[in-house]
Amino acid sequence: MSNPREEFLAGDRLEDVALFLADSYVSDDRLERFGDRVDDGIVIVVDGERGRSAFQAATGTGAMEFAKSAMSNEGEITADLAGGRCPDAADDEEHAVQFVFAFAEDQNEEVGGIYADGAVVHAYAQCTCGTAFSDRWNVTDETDK
């Protein structure tokens, strides 16, 4: 595996963070040299400290502060980190993910729950409606999401 995003999603880059920036939120062709182009934006995987700084530069919000604000509002974030479903979206409303901040945590049997089953991806997203939400899953479940 040589793709940083694939390695991150497999739980192999626990010191790194992943960022998704939608084209509608940040449109800068220079970002492509740092990450993977996806349908609606770019996914960048970088070491944790640089990633948190890049997130703050792109969004104007501290990464951990954003994560804390989104943590209590569960939604659905796609396993590729490039989209999701806002928990405030009704079936007839148009909502889109503007950005995602994610990190992975190693398996921890002592904690129990999903942490006992393998590495866990924690993802936090911001919707165009302003709602911040979170999702988490085992990397082994990634293909099931």
Side-chain angles (χ1 to χ4, degrees), residues 27-144:
S27 184
D28 187 340
D29 293 338
R30 294 176 296 175
L31 291 174
E32 287 190 43
R33 64 182 172 189
F34 300 109
D36 289 341
R37 163 72 38 205
V38 293
D39 287 341
D40 297 324
I42 190 97
V43 177
I44 301 168
V45 176
V46 294
D47 72 83
E49 194 57 42
R50 282 184 38 219
R52 287 185 286 277
S53 295
F55 180 83
Q56 182 155 359
T59 65
T61 304
M64 297 318 289
E65 292 80 9
F66 173 67
K68 286 178 187 172
S69 72
M71 194 178 305
S72 63
N73 197 16
E74 289 188 24
E76 190 175 310
I77 299 171
T78 58
D80 65 359
L81 303 175
R85 177 157 169 72
C86 176
D88 291 344
D91 290 335
D92 60 342
E93 293 179 316
E94 184 70 30
H95 289 250
V97 171
Q98 290 183 301
F99 54 83
V100 172
F101 171 77
F103 64 90
E105 193 173 346
D106 204 6
Q107 179 176 3
N108 186 340
E109 293 180 13
E110 291 178 17
V111 173
I114 67 170
Y115 298 94
D117 296 332
V120 176
V121 173
H122 296 261
Y124 307 92
Q126 177 80 27
C127 181
T128 53
C129 74
T131 297
F133 59 97
S134 66
D135 196 1
R136 64 186 176 150
W137 60 89
N138 287 106
V139 296
T140 54
D141 295 342
E142 179 219 339
T143 55
D144 299 333

